[in-house]
Amino acid sequence: IVLTQSPDFQSVTPKEKVTITCRASQSIGINLHWYQQKPNQSPKVVIKYTSQSVSGVPSRFSGSGSGTNFTLNIDSLEVEDAATYYCHQSRSLPWTFGQGTKVEIK
Amino acid sequence: DVQLVESGGGLVQPGGSLRLSCSASGFTFTNHALHWVRQAPGKGLEYVSTINSNGGSAFYADSVKGRFTISRDNFKNTLFLQMTNLRVDDTALYFCVKEDCARVGCYVDYWGQGVVVTVSA
């Protein structure tokens, strides 16, 4: 299952809204998760099962979608949100990841 | 707290072998499948392999099938990745990851800090 993220790069000012999309090559139900990776750190989950919040992750992160089209939203971006974001499908093995979207602070 | 600590990486020549280990703590090891995910320098995340909770079933990415072997020791709470016939494009940071599952599926809830494997002549 191929996951294609859009855009590859986004430069955003603080407090702006960020939207990242992930398209799957076949239906994956809600088995789509989003990870944030900062430089020299391991990824950490920010949204699980398409839209479920994760303990400890700020409420400005939200997700939506189903089937083949998914979206990660970051409302009112903060400086600490600068990172690369990856979508990940666990519907079937082999797991696959999107190519990543780098979010930079202007 | 859940901890996943990888070790065993290093520099190896093409065609060589390495064995990665991942020591786990803070959760019931025998209840969870475990996985290896890698990240080449400056690149994205790539799935490598999965082993089920009792070690009886494994799955591999096509890129490593026949060269890598995943295993686990449920008495020592340790995950392994035996890598043979290494290639330059196996150079990456290798993460040990734990999944958490619900009725609808699973996701990665914890990542190790990663271990570097460099394949170069």
Side-chain angles (χ1 to χ4, degrees), chain B residues 38-44 88-93 116-118:
Chain B
R38 69 185 181 183
Q39 187 169 35
K43 302 296 185 184
V88 171
D89 62 359
D90 292 319
T91 295
L93 182 64
V116 174
V117 172
T118 304

Side-chain angles (χ1 to χ4, degrees), chain A residues 37-97:
Chain A
Q37 186 179 32
K38 297 181 179 180
N40 300 314
Q41 293 186 19
S42 302
K44 74 165 202 177
V45 62
V46 292
I47 293 290
K48 60 183 181 179
Y49 304 113
T50 297
S51 60
Q52 292 186 20
S53 59
V54 175
S55 175
V57 174
S59 59
R60 61 182 179 274
F61 288 87
S62 65
S64 63
S66 69
T68 60
N69 291 296
F70 303 87
T71 301
L72 173 69
N73 288 305
I74 312 173
D75 288 327
S76 192
L77 186 83
E78 298 201 4
V79 172
E80 68 193 41
D81 300 333
T84 299
Y85 292 85
Y86 296 94
C87 59
H88 160 231
Q89 71 79 21
S90 60
R91 174 67 180 84
S92 64
L93 292 174
W95 284 353
T96 46
F97 295 86

Side-chain angles (χ1 to χ4, degrees), chain B residues 52-92:
Chain B
N52 72 343
S53 59
N54 67 16
S57 178
F59 192 94
Y60 300 92
D62 285 347
S63 58
V64 307
K65 200 175 296 182
R67 300 186 301 120
F68 289 11
T69 303
I70 192 171
S71 62
R72 62 192 292 163
D73 184 334
N74 280 355
F75 295 102
K76 295 184 178 178
N77 287 7
T78 304
L79 174 70
F80 302 101
L81 186 68
Q82 178 68 49
M83 304 186 294
T84 62
N85 193 19
L86 281 159
R87 308 191 301 221
V88 171
D89 62 359
D90 292 319
T91 295

Side-chain angles (χ1 to χ4, degrees), chain A residues 2-41:
Chain A
V2 178
L3 297 181
T4 304
Q5 287 182 231
S6 179
D8 291 334
F9 176 83
Q10 199 162 9
S11 184
V12 187
T13 53
K15 297 198 167 103
E16 234 184 296
K17 179 177 179 176
V18 171
T19 297
I20 301 169
T21 64
C22 179
R23 176 169 291 182
S25 59
Q26 63 190 75
S27 179
I28 55 175
I30 63 166
N31 284 284
L32 189 286
H33 321 286
W34 293 95
Y35 299 88
Q36 174 194 69
Q37 186 179 32
K38 297 181 179 180
N40 300 314
Q41 293 186 19

Side-chain angles (χ1 to χ4, degrees), chain B:
Chain B
D1 283 2
V2 171
Q3 287 205 353
L4 300 167
V5 181
E6 302 95 336
S7 61
L11 173 64
V12 62
Q13 291 188 336
S17 299
L18 273 179
R19 188 193 198 203
L20 304 184
S21 299
C22 172
S23 178
S25 61
F27 64 99
T28 304
F29 190 76
T30 52
N31 282 357
H32 297 273
L34 296 167
H35 315 261
W36 290 97
V37 174
R38 69 185 181 183
Q39 187 169 35
K43 302 296 185 184
L45 301 169
E46 181 189 14
Y47 169 85
V48 174
S49 183
T50 294
I51 189 165
N52 72 343
S53 59
N54 67 16
S57 178
F59 192 94
Y60 300 92
D62 285 347
S63 58
V64 307
K65 200 175 296 182
R67 300 186 301 120
F68 289 11
T69 303
I70 192 171
S71 62
R72 62 192 292 163
D73 184 334
N74 280 355
F75 295 102
K76 295 184 178 178
N77 287 7
T78 304
L79 174 70
F80 302 101
L81 186 68
Q82 178 68 49
M83 304 186 294
T84 62
N85 193 19
L86 281 159
R87 308 191 301 221
V88 171
D89 62 359
D90 292 319
T91 295
L93 182 64
Y94 284 74
F95 294 103
C96 163
V97 308
K98 171 190 167 291
E99 68 175 26
D100 184 59
C101 297
R103 207 164 58 174
V104 294
C106 306
Y107 74 103
V108 176
D109 60 346
Y110 287 96
W111 300 68
Q113 84 286 353
V115 62
V116 174
V117 172
T118 304
V119 185
S120 174

